[in-house]
Amino acid sequence: MNHDVIITCALTGAGDTASKSHFVPVTPKQIAEAAVEAAKAGATVVHCHVRDPQTGRFSRDVNLYREVMERIRESDVDIIVNLTAGMGGDLEIGPGEMPMEFGTGTDLVGPLERLAHVEALLPEICTLDCGTLNFGDGNSIYVSTPSQLRAGARRITELGVKAELEIFDTGHLWFAKQMIKEGLLDDPLFQLCLGIPWGAPADTTSMKAMVDNLPPDVTWAGFGIGRMQMPMAAQAVLLGGNVRVGLEDNLWLEKGVLASNGQLVERAAEILHRLGARVLSPAEGRAKMNLTRR
């Protein structure tokens, strides 16, 4: 069991959730306010996407990320900022016998363009989604090829940003370890992402299988989506890891009750406390993850 736990709060994500809950932050101001709320609730790290303020849809706009970062840094809280670098890998295959007629959900760019905001803003952590995945039950695929991943990993390392490797299935973990073997990554973090159709399911067997195949002595976390968010948080800690909660992965505090990011952090912290663990402060989290505050 891990007795000294990092809680990451994933604030908004890129999915079609803003229309489902008024708590999902959309504008840079709202996202930064959600980060402050999560920090005051006890989060160690906030994981940030941005959205188009007019439509609520996902965005890769560097200026939106800049505003979020500036607002967080100007606030009265200390929090570790983790920016997604997963945007730009979305491919919506055309319907039926017209697969090349890509849908409106397609947003496909190269590996370095996916890092434009990371290069401009140099957060303490950024993510690297470690493989291609059927995403959901329709025609959407998240695309991240071995060549793209090698290029992205190399650039993140050059920038001096800590990579958090997002692992959605066992093959992703296999390739993540290959990148470490090739010297492309320096002491990365691992995030085990469970329950996304059709990656690894959110259950004990899947999480333990991944944990048993992690490199030795790495810092890792795990999460489940939807109703499995809190069970997987507890499971991750029992297996020796850290946790992620937040509205990117789950909208509900309990059946019929919508949650805020702060409430989800508070619920996770309560569970950890009852298990006999404590939540690390951002300063303690930096020490555990070997981060340099920017």
Side-chain angles (χ1 to χ4, degrees), residues 15 37 44 56 58 78 82 96 98-99 104 115 119 166 177 185 208 218 252 262 269 290:
E37 177 198 14
T44 319
F58 63 80
D78 180 24
N82 173 341
M98 300 178 290
T104 57
L115 292 169
E119 185 154 359
E166 308 295 282
K177 293 194 293 184
L185 293 161
K208 187 174 187 307
V218 297
W252 303 96
N290 296 318

Side-chain angles (χ1 to χ4, degrees), residues 207-223:
M207 184 178 282
K208 187 174 187 307
M210 288 184 172
V211 171
D212 288 346
N213 280 284
L214 287 168
D217 302 321
V218 297
T219 300
W220 69 274
F223 71 88

Side-chain angles (χ1 to χ4, degrees), residues 161-199:
V161 175
K162 178 76 73 172
E164 181 184 84
L165 306 182
E166 308 295 282
I167 307 298
F168 293 87
D169 215 340
T170 52
H172 297 181
L173 178 54
W174 185 10
F175 189 73
K177 293 194 293 184
Q178 179 63 27
M179 289 191 289
I180 294 173
K181 182 178 180 180
E182 294 174 10
L184 296 170
L185 293 161
D186 182 19
D187 187 28
L189 312 170
F190 283 76
Q191 182 73 259
L192 307 181
C193 313
L194 305 180
I196 294 89
W198 293 102

Side-chain angles (χ1 to χ4, degrees), residues 60 87 109-117:
R60 291 184 287 103
M87 305 309 298
V109 299
L112 299 186
E113 189 171 345
R114 297 182 199 187
L115 292 169
H117 60 298

Side-chain angles (χ1 to χ4, degrees), residues 1-3 5 204 207 211 220 231-243 272 275-277:
M1 177 173 162
N2 180 15
H3 290 88
V5 182
T204 296
M207 184 178 282
V211 171
W220 69 274
M232 288 295 99
Q235 184 63 86
V237 171
L238 290 172
L239 289 173
N242 302 285
V243 308
L272 301 183
L275 289 173

Side-chain angles (χ1 to χ4, degrees), residues 253-265:
L253 189 63
E254 55 192 63
K255 187 174 182 179
V257 180
L258 290 168
S260 71
N261 281 296
Q263 288 172 325
L264 292 174
V265 172

